[in-house]
Amino acid sequence: MNEAHRIAARRGLTFHCEQTHAADAMACDEGLMQAVDAGIAVTGQVPFRLPSGAGHDAMAISHLCPVGMLFVRCERGISHHPLEAVSEDDVAKALAALIASIEAVAARHV
């Protein structure tokens, strides 16, 4: 925050920041994440987990049901920005992994 105040002062501006929302990141369900790992492995990719802190819909629905996430890599790591881009090949692999993940979950509940 101090840096923002210094930059504003240097430019002849004032800076004010007020937190209006806070929400805890939600932990993904281990069983779902095992299914996602298995789905990724089916595509020939090596599954790995990223510490995210991403809330997405998980914050809104985690009190209703378990949550899990499958991320698609973005070109140059740019995400949540107009320059975000993914390759068609990565989307195809992600869809295949998602389908295999759903099938893994379904197989546990048959």
Side-chain angles (χ1 to χ4, degrees):
M1 278 295 215
N2 289 335
E3 184 65 18
H5 288 285
R6 282 192 289 277
I7 292 169
R10 188 174 66 236
R11 295 179 180 183
L13 304 169
T14 58
F15 175 79
H16 173 77
C17 179
E18 179 181 342
Q19 183 173 336
T20 60
H21 176 73
D24 294 330
M26 302 307 303
C28 290
D29 177 78
E30 181 59 29
L32 286 177
M33 292 313 302
Q34 288 174 5
V36 169
D37 288 346
I40 292 168
V42 164
T43 70
Q45 306 299 303
V46 178
F48 64 94
R49 298 188 187 182
L50 298 170
S52 170
H56 298 274
D57 297 332
M59 291 185 298
I61 66 167
S62 63
H63 67 285
L64 299 173
C65 61
V67 297
M69 291 188 199
L70 171 65
F71 289 91
V72 179
R73 65 180 168 186
C74 298
E75 185 179 312
R76 299 187 325 257
I78 298 172
S79 178
H80 297 88
H81 185 275
L83 295 176
E84 179 176 349
V86 295
S87 74
E88 188 175 325
D89 184 56
D90 283 346
V91 171
K93 287 176 183 171
L95 287 172
L98 177 61
I99 291 166
S101 299
I102 292 168
E103 290 170 343
V105 171
R108 289 195 313 230
H109 296 285
V110 172

